Amino acid sequence: MRLMQKSKKEKDWGFDVRDIDAKVRPQDDFYHYANGTWMKKNPIPPQESHWGSFIMLRYDTEKKLRTLVTKVQKMKNLKTGSSEQMVRDFYNSGLDMKQRNAAGLAPLKPWLERIGKIKDVPSLVSTFAHLEKIGGSGPWGLMVDQDMKNSEKYIVHIGQSGLGLPDRDYYLKNDPESMRVRTAYEKHLEAMFALIGKSKTEAAKARVTVMSIETALAKISMSKEDRRDVDKTYHKISVPALAKLARGIDWKSYFKIIGADGIREVVVMQTAFLKAVSEMLRKVSVEDWKIYLEWHLVGGSASYLSARLEKQNFAFYGTVLSGVKEMKPAWRRALSAVNGNLGEALGKLYVDAYFGPEAKKRIVEIVNDLFTAYEARIKNLDWMSAATKKKAIKKLYEMNRKFGYPDTWKSYRGLVIRFDDYFGNAVRSSLLEHARVMRRLKKPVDRSEWFMTPQTVNAYCSFGLNDIVFPAAILQPPFFSKDADDALNYGGIGTVIGHEITHGFDDQGSKFDGKGNRKTWWTKEDRARFDKKAKVLVNQFNQYKVADGLKVNGQLTLGENIADLHRL
Ligand SMILES: [Zn+2]
């Protein structure tokens, strides 16, 4: 049920019984009983794809961030390189539509030229590497993360990527919804190619090329259900073995450009995909790859360029794909870019203005209680053996808890942010972030790191770090207030905390031990009983209808469903 703030005094907020639809019997459909009237009174706003307490609080937080940024905009004599200067100029560069329109495609020029110079597979692969550093999309992606089987070490991971649509199914399925999206995507490709100066015939031809490459990539991609399985996505191999698996690629020079010079091992997340991609590099002509890269460069940069490109991009990804009717106002779009690129610089300003130490004290007490309750629940399970219970409780108490904001803020030192270069600001931010991530390879694992900014209304559980993290922005009404009655806090943020703890024991989280290593700590019999119970849940969710002809994918959503129920 949604909680509501009735007055300025947070003490007074609580359940609003006016949201209830008394015509629905709670024992038939509790969701519509509890929320029915609220849902009727609150249609989804035209600028959103969905609506509810999470999104409402996100919107509210954006307004607070806007107040902060507006204050910063008025500041005089800001030191170049200070958080305030970077936030102000990034934001202003996004708002300056006149300048962005005047610049047109000019900001992309050096990148388009680089693509234009590709003449063979080696120069194609080195361009993949350069684009990867700015967050661009080649057929595979690279990240540096903990080694799942040695959680004290970072290692390079290579994973499948390269699709313009969110999943391989859109290319391969022929149901009405996949066909609708695919047809609209083809039109979108043509429109984007036309916007970068191709003739109608050239644009149509380029569309065919992109669809052919992306469909081929879709066919060799791992399914989204399998991608969730940590065991199916872990193949640690040496660099010479990688060269044998994905032939014809000069991996040493690729790693050198990317900033991973001299590495000896990598984790390949989808071996079959990478092998097949290396074959595609030989089969598909270099000229076709160039068109493919051109599309990914322009598509990935559209929201930082002219109004025409941004609108066309929204028409497909916003409206066709997500059902959003209207583009968000300029301030929300620019703010989202600042959040994405300078997250912790803005986050520090947010925390200073809106997050106090008293909130942290109260939340720590609540979390302690939840751990005690969770321990009692583990002890009471009728299907888990005493030996596994002991290990589960050990893991539970090894779980690190993070609240509000990180102890050390990310440094943006050296980053150049200009008031008149929106795209360039994004590129330089990506390069800085890429370099930061690559430096992990030379360092021990940083267990204090955060993967969400403090101004994010969300929470997460990391299997590798074995921690649960609650950013400042979720620690506010309707989820939490330091002044609220206990019942409200346990019903609000308590639910979120229980959800995140449970992730550590869900179908994937339970494969990791308290140190974050992929390790079987269950007895065989307990694991079999767990899997049997999980299967019941998969089948249950497979029955739920979401829309016409569309049911929940029980296997894909298993982790979330286990976490929502807080236990098996
Ligand atoms: Zn979750």
Side-chain angles (χ1 to χ4, degrees), residues 459 499-500 503 559-560 563-564:
H499 177 104
E500 298 308 337
H503 269 314
E560 291 308 321
D564 279 344

Side-chain angles (χ1 to χ4, degrees), residues 241-253:
L242 172 69
K244 268 190 204 147
L245 172 80
R247 287 173 194 276
I249 296 169
D250 182 352
W251 286 104
K252 276 198 178 147
S253 93

Side-chain angles (χ1 to χ4, degrees), residues 249-270:
I249 296 169
D250 182 352
W251 286 104
K252 276 198 178 147
S253 93
Y254 177 86
F255 289 136
K256 195 168 180 182
I257 299 171
I258 210 91
D261 200 9
I263 55 163
R264 293 190 177 162
E265 287 179 317
V266 292
V267 169
V268 177
M269 301 182 78
Q270 292 86 18

